[in-house]
């Protein structure tokens, strides 16, 4: 019997129309385009402005984009994993609502939260469900409305984040394509450096927490930066080593888009040429759970069947890791 692996077979995405440029941010906080560009690589990000629309709106749009592009009947979907750090509400899963809205009436759904690593961890979860042989179509959606948890008076965080969504379909593959290996890690000592203090069970919402701005993202940027650089680079190096991959074998690095300098440091440790590194941070900023699928969508036309992709992320918690996947469609890669 052939082994079943979990391959990505379809992609979809959505970003809101409103573009928040560095120039506009200059009018909101004490910052400038030059600082933002050199320190982060970000030029602009998308923001969902419409009142009453949450992360589910972005996720539904991305999922519908995938379904319509590939003419897939939503009733065929077995499960939906909703990777997000900004669910519509604290209780009542966003994924469940998304499943119903897109007509995935035969699916079960739930949310998966691991900050900026939510999508990466979701790849692991989706792969296990497919590999079990029980589920044939698993939809993994990464979506975040980061603008809902950002203080637009805090220049240290408001310049970084944006809103967006990406959807990826996993299906069984018997040609050896799809997820090959993964290296996932977490460390709870990191939670003090990147968090939203209030609104959870330790510090429920009150007039005081609102007045103190404790419902917004707090980040000690420098510390997170250091951990992100060393851990993302380490995970990539290790996963290459244990799969006997040299820089020549790796066709693409798909890195979390938090800071161009973190991405460059990771690529440099892998000895990878810039041309093999997916980058779209300049136009979307850090969309948290959506960065990896948004990269795939932007580079989809360049991907060939058999390409070796290394996905990597680092996020709050701390959470981080790398996933090694063989791309399953497009022109066939000719080995040189
Ligand atoms: O995705 C989840 C994981 N998150 C990350 O991976 C993010 C990791 N961290 C970072 O990307 C970077 O630390 C930041 C982009 C957040 C900050 O860059 P940095 O190079 O670490 O800057 P810094 O916080 O050390 O600040 C350097 C200086 C400070 O001024 P002084 O103290 O040197 O006078 C800041 O006050 O830059 C100042 N600064 C700014 N200046 C202009 C901080 N934010 C800004 C700003 N515009 N927006």
């Amino acid at each position: 019997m052939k082994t079943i692996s979990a391959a990505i077979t379809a992609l979809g995405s959505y970003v809101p129309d409103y573009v928040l440029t560095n120039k506009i941010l200059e009018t909101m906080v004490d910052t400038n385009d030059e600082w933002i560009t050199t320190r982060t690589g970000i030029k602009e990000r998308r923001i969902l402005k419409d009142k009453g629309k949450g992360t589910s709106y972005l996720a539904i749009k991305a999922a519908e984009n995938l379904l319509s592009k590939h003419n897939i009947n939503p009733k065929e979907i077995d499960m939906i994993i909703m990777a997000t750090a900004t669910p519509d509400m604290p209780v009542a899963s966003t994924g469940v609502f998304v499943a119903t809205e897109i007509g995935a009436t035969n699916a079960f759904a739930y949310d998966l939260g691991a900050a900026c690593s939510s999508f990466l961890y979701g790849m692991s979860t989706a792969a296990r469900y497919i590999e079990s042989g029980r589920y044939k179509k698993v939809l993994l959606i990464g979506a975040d409305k980061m603008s809902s948890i950002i203080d637009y008076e805090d220049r240290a965080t408001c310049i970084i984040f944006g809103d967006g969504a990406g959807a990826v379909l996993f299906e069984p593959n018997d040609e050896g394509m799809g997820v090959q290996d993964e290296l996932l890690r977490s460390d709870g000592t990191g939670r003090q450096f990147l968090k939203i203090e209030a609104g959870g069970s330790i510090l429920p919402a009150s007039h005081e927490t609102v007045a103190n701005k404790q419902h917004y993202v707090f980040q000690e940027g420098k510390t997170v930066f250091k951990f992100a650089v060393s851990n993302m680079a380490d995970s990539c190096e290790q996963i290459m080593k244990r799969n006997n991959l040299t820089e020549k074998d790796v066709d693409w690095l798909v890195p979390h888009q938090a800071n161009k300098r973190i991405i460059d440091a990771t690529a440099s440790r892998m000895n990878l040429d810039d041309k093999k590194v997916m980058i779209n941070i300049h136009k979307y900023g850090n969309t948290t759970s959506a960065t990896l699928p948004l990269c795939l969508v932007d580079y989809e036309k360049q991907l060939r069947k058999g390409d070796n992709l290394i996905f990597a992320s680092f996020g709050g918690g701390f959470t981080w890791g790398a996933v090694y996947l063989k791309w399953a469609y497009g022109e066939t890669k000719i080995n040189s």
Side-chain angles (χ1 to χ4, degrees):
M1 212 174 79
K2 282 191 174 169
T3 315
I4 302 170
S5 52
I8 291 178
T9 57
L11 303 174
S13 68
Y14 177 75
V15 291
D17 292 334
Y18 181 78
V19 182
L20 177 59
T21 62
N22 290 353
K23 281 278 164 222
I24 300 173
L25 280 168
E26 283 180 7
T27 67
M28 297 162 64
V29 287
D30 180 14
T31 191
N32 57 78
D33 175 49
E34 205 260 332
W35 191 95
I36 302 173
T37 307
T38 53
R39 296 289 180 122
T40 70
I42 303 167
K43 281 288 187 191
E44 55 190 47
R45 52 303 281 140
R46 300 302 183 97
I47 304 293
L48 179 59
K49 285 273 195 183
D50 318 36
K51 272 217 160 73
K53 286 181 181 165
T55 294
S56 63
Y57 178 81
L58 304 167
I60 290 164
K61 289 276 195 189
E64 286 176 345
N65 176 244
L66 181 151
L67 295 172
S68 66
K69 269 196 316 199
H70 294 268
N71 207 11
I72 296 168
N73 181 346
K75 291 190 168 45
E76 289 171 27
I77 295 171
D78 298 309
M79 78 173 296
I80 293 178
I81 303 170
M82 179 74 232
T84 188
T86 52
D88 281 2
M89 15 178 120
V91 174
S93 160
T94 304
V96 170
F97 180 70
V98 170
T100 299
E101 289 296 301
I102 65 168
T105 47
N106 293 313
F108 73 105
Y110 58 80
D111 294 355
L112 189 158
C116 290
S117 301
S118 302
F119 189 86
L120 191 84
Y121 283 16
M123 290 179 71
S124 163
T125 311
R128 296 302 91 73
Y129 278 104
I130 293 288
E131 289 159 4
S132 76
R134 191 180 294 261
Y135 303 97
K136 306 292 180 218
K137 279 187 168 51
V138 175
L139 189 61
L140 171 62
I141 307 172
D144 270 304
K145 184 184 169 186
M146 293 306 290
S147 60
S148 65
I149 53 170
I150 294 301
D151 175 5
Y152 284 93
E153 290 180 352
D154 174 14
R155 69 175 183 172
T157 52
C158 75
I159 55 125
I160 301 169
F161 295 99
D163 303 338
V168 159
L169 186 68
F170 280 90
E171 291 187 275
N173 183 285
D174 61 10
E175 296 178 306
M177 300 295 143
V179 175
Q180 309 290 308
D181 193 14
E182 65 188 37
L183 197 156
L184 305 177
R185 295 284 182 273
S186 60
D187 177 1
T189 61
R191 93 166 165 182
Q192 58 184 305
F193 304 114
L194 179 45
K195 62 183 174 183
I196 293 180
E197 221 154 36
S201 52
I202 293 180
L203 190 58
S206 67
H207 289 294
E208 206 183 352
T209 59
V210 173
N212 291 341
K213 296 187 159 197
Q214 288 168 296
H215 295 272
Y216 292 127
V217 170
F218 162 84
Q219 174 172 247
E220 203 179 295
K222 247 190 174 33
T223 311
V224 178
F225 185 91
K226 276 189 211 148
F227 276 94
V229 166
S230 66
N231 286 311
M232 248 171 80
D234 280 353
S235 312
C236 292
E237 198 177 36
Q238 282 181 45
I239 208 159
M240 282 172 70
K241 216 171 182 176
R242 76 183 190 195
N243 288 282
N244 298 316
L245 299 171
T246 68
E247 66 270 20
K248 286 205 184 83
D249 304 312
V250 175
D251 297 291
W252 293 100
L253 169 64
V254 194
H256 173 51
Q257 309 281 306
N259 187 315
K260 176 77 165 49
R261 289 183 291 141
I262 300 173
I263 298 169
D264 289 346
T266 305
S268 155
R269 180 89 79 81
M270 297 165 79
N271 265 325
L272 274 197
D273 194 294
D274 285 352
K275 285 198 225 75
K276 293 182 168 186
V277 183
M278 295 192 187
I279 301 274
N280 58 17
I281 190 169
H282 51 287
K283 47 180 194 170
Y284 300 137
N286 182 349
T287 54
T288 301
S289 310
T291 58
L292 301 182
L294 283 175
C295 276
L296 289 180
V297 169
D298 280 356
Y299 285 81
E300 184 178 19
K301 287 196 174 72
Q302 296 180 56
L303 295 171
R304 299 160 305 170
K305 185 175 175 182
D307 271 355
N308 290 317
L309 275 60
I310 304 285
F311 294 75
S313 77
F314 184 88
F318 291 139
T319 55
W320 72 92
V323 168
Y324 165 33
L325 173 139
K326 273 188 184 292
W327 196 248
Y329 61 92
E331 259 177 59
T332 304
K333 172 185 173 183
I334 318 270
N335 283 317
S336 49

